[in-house]
Amino acid sequence: MNQAAQTKTTATKTTNTSRKVRGLVKKMYQDAHEASRRGEPTAYAFIMSFSDEIIRAMDITPVWTENYAGLCAAKRDAGRFLQSATGEGFPKDLCTYALCGLGFDALRARLGQMPPQAPDGGMARPTVMLGSGMMVCDPRYKWFQALQRYMDVPFYAHNLLWPPYPCDLDEAEGYYTRFLARELRGLIDFLEGQTGRKMDWDRLSETVDLAERTLKIWWRAYDLRRAVPAPMPSEDAFNCMVPGWFLLGTREALDFYTELHDEVKARVDQGQGVIPEEKYRVLWAGGLPPWHSLSIMNYFESLGAVFPIEVVYRPWDPVEISPRVTDPLERMAQRMFKAWTYRFRRADSNSGVPDVELLLEWIDKYRIDGVFMHRAFSCRTVHVGQIHLLNVLKEYCDLPQLILESDMVDVTTFSEERVKTQIGAFVETMEAARERRA
């Protein structure tokens, strides 16, 4: 392991439940290796591609490639994989999740074996690769296509499209939900053809029910975080998102969020906060975390600032699906559509920007003193339009704002000295704003 990989980069956690996630991550990669050794199907897959329940119902073990890049970043061991990819001719300003994954598989192909001392034993070789055409994230279908130069593995991408804003939701819902359900059915057809396994539709329905129960208790646990003092910070949430985004449709995920809910509720009831004296509450308003330097969250706390809630990697808003909809794929499609368009109608009568409506709602709900965004250089999808959002937000809520720039994987983009200086100035601005309000 590189010497840099031994440096502690993760933030100190507040909740006991969040400390259990590291074990879950290790087990995810162990399970994939064991499934591969048994000759069972494994799948490279992406977060938020809505294939979770389908994979689980067919007993296909997922290998979450973006998560692995984040793991390598947290261990400060992504550099060799990034260099491997650029050495293959991939541009250095490509999404570093993709760059890290491409470099890993390119290095494995060159060596003819697993890269030495790969974090958590490395990624198991997949049986299939599952992409998704969604939003403007090119790597969700181009990354795995590029990997076929290193692995002769079948690839499939299902389309996930949502209506643009503004639109007539009543008119759009039927079309988009039918389209989404049809795309998911195409994914099942592909998996049945590649694995020789047939979908058990009753089991899929049970898995979808389990996923919906999990999402609800996860949302309820996070809703408790509006309490003052904050019972759980964003650095814990960046750990606790793992079961919801990588184990959805399993009993393990439901049990995890039930335990988290109970712990956070107990902390609220006892008035336990993240730090002894909470002075400022900051909204993580956008941007993927710098996984290589999350310890910076504790620097905020040393200045009295806590992140009670975050926009990124949050659970879906609780949406109601009619009990008359019994087909599991239609239920999944309705959940996608309604969660994505949840704030469209509110935006119609206010800011005209659904994402701004979310920020305004949470600024009030979580009693926010300042707004923070992290701009990861290599990710266009999540980070495009951040300045526009903040400019629109200023028209409705004049709170101090801060954008920090680095990357989610590439540690060479991060300057701790510069970041601490910016954070210090931001905290001073929040104090000055508070004095003005007083």
Side-chain angles (χ1 to χ4, degrees):
M1 180 182 294
N2 296 340
Q3 183 67 32
Q6 299 175 5
T7 304
K8 178 174 173 56
T9 60
T10 55
T12 301
K13 306 299 186 297
T14 297
T15 56
N16 292 322
T17 309
S18 67
R19 299 188 185 105
K20 298 182 179 181
V21 172
R22 184 70 189 97
L24 295 178
V25 172
K26 289 181 179 179
K27 185 176 182 298
M28 286 195 316
Y29 295 106
Q30 291 171 358
D31 287 348
H33 284 296
E34 290 171 6
S36 183
R37 283 193 289 269
R38 294 192 299 265
E40 297 175 356
T42 57
Y44 270 11
F46 288 115
I47 187 175
M48 210 179 87
S49 289
F50 296 95
S51 56
D52 306 64
E53 294 99 317
I54 291 171
I55 294 172
R56 299 294 176 186
M58 296 185 72
D59 287 325
I60 298 170
T61 304
V63 181
W64 302 103
T65 51
E66 291 159 307
N67 176 268
Y68 192 73
L71 170 65
C72 293
K75 289 182 169 293
R76 297 272 178 103
D77 197 19
R80 55 175 168 158
F81 303 129
L82 298 177
Q83 292 172 6
S84 169
T86 55
E88 292 284 308
F90 294 104
K92 64 180 180 180
D93 56 354
L94 186 68
C95 162
T96 47
Y97 282 159
L99 207 62
C100 184
L102 288 163
F104 173 89
D105 278 307
L107 181 58
R108 175 164 55 183
R110 290 197 300 271
L111 295 175
Q113 62 182 9
M114 191 69 71
Q117 295 181 296
D120 286 6
M123 292 188 287
R125 190 180 296 272
T127 307
V128 294
M129 296 188 288
L130 306 180
S132 62
M134 62 183 298
M135 299 184 289
V136 292
C137 186
D138 302 342
R140 290 186 174 255
Y141 51 94
K142 298 303 293 183
W143 174 351
F144 292 170
Q145 287 180 3
L147 278 183
Q148 288 180 317
R149 69 171 70 176
Y150 308 112
M151 297 185 291
D152 184 16
V153 174
F155 164 73
Y156 185 85
H158 57 290
N159 289 303
L160 298 174
L161 301 178
W162 293 273
Y165 178 85
C167 74
D168 184 333
L169 285 179
D170 295 328
E171 180 181 345
E173 181 173 352
Y175 169 80
Y176 278 92
T177 54
R178 286 193 300 271
F179 174 83
L180 290 166
R182 187 169 66 245
E183 288 296 303
L184 293 175
R185 191 171 297 276
L187 172 62
I188 292 173
D189 291 342
F190 168 79
L191 292 173
E192 287 181 336
Q194 293 297 324
T195 65
R197 299 180 175 188
K198 290 296 182 182
M199 172 59 77
D200 182 335
W201 292 95
D202 289 336
R203 184 177 178 190
L204 177 60
S205 185
E206 293 170 359
T207 306
V208 170
D209 289 343
L210 185 59
E212 290 173 358
R213 290 169 58 198
T214 300
L215 290 169
K216 287 177 181 177
I217 190 66
W218 183 13
W219 187 90
R220 286 170 52 199
Y222 279 29
D223 191 53
L224 291 168
R225 296 167 61 195
R226 68 173 73 184
V228 178
M232 171 182 158
S234 289
E235 59 263 34
D236 285 34
F238 292 146
N239 253 28
C240 291
M241 65 91 172
V242 166
W245 288 115
F246 303 118
L247 294 170
L248 190 63
T250 68
R251 184 74 202 189
E252 195 170 22
L254 177 61
D255 291 345
F256 177 90
Y257 289 116
T258 301
E259 181 178 348
L260 179 67
H261 174 274
D262 293 346
E263 181 181 5
V264 175
K265 186 177 186 305
R267 292 181 63 85
V268 171
D269 292 343
Q270 296 164 15
Q272 287 183 284
V274 175
I275 54 178
E277 185 179 358
E278 178 181 292
K279 297 179 180 179
Y280 318 101
R281 294 166 67 88
V282 183
L283 170 63
W284 187 291
L288 301 179
W291 298 112
H292 45 72
S293 302
L294 277 182
S295 56
I296 202 68
M297 305 289 285
N298 296 140
Y299 183 70
F300 274 98
E301 292 165 0
S302 72
L303 301 177
V306 174
F307 287 84
I309 197 64
E310 60 294 322
V311 170
V312 68
Y313 294 130
R314 66 187 179 92
W316 290 111
D317 293 299
V319 297
E320 292 300 323
I321 301 172
S322 170
R324 293 192 297 272
V325 180
T326 57
D327 180 275
L329 297 185
E330 291 182 13
R331 292 186 67 84
M332 292 172 68
Q334 284 211 6
R335 186 203 313 157
M336 291 183 230
F337 178 87
K338 292 185 175 182
W340 192 261
T341 61
Y342 187 74
R343 289 177 177 80
F344 276 24
R345 297 189 194 278
R346 188 180 305 172
D348 287 343
S349 59
N350 196 33
S351 69
V353 183
D355 288 343
V356 170
E357 294 305 311
L358 171 63
L359 300 182
L360 289 171
E361 177 185 330
W362 282 7
I363 285 169
D364 178 62
K365 183 177 180 180
Y366 291 90
R367 306 184 194 184
I368 297 300
D369 298 299
V371 177
F372 170 90
M373 285 187 175
H374 177 246
R375 181 184 299 156
F377 293 127
S378 70
C379 177
R380 298 195 307 277
T381 303
V382 176
H383 304 81
V384 67
Q386 285 182 324
I387 293 176
H388 171 68
L389 288 180
L390 292 179
N391 286 338
V392 175
L393 181 65
K394 277 186 178 180
E395 298 176 15
Y396 297 86
C397 179
D398 190 21
L399 288 178
Q401 300 177 351
L402 172 64
I403 296 181
L404 291 183
E405 296 181 333
S406 64
D407 187 65
M408 61 275 196
V409 174
D410 186 359
V411 69
T412 65
T413 64
F414 185 84
S415 166
E416 184 172 341
E417 182 179 357
R418 170 179 56 82
V419 165
K420 285 185 174 181
T421 299
Q422 291 177 282
I423 292 172
F426 176 59
V427 170
E428 291 177 3
T429 304
M430 285 193 292
E431 178 61 27
R434 174 175 293 177
E435 292 176 357
R436 287 197 304 271
R437 291 196 299 271

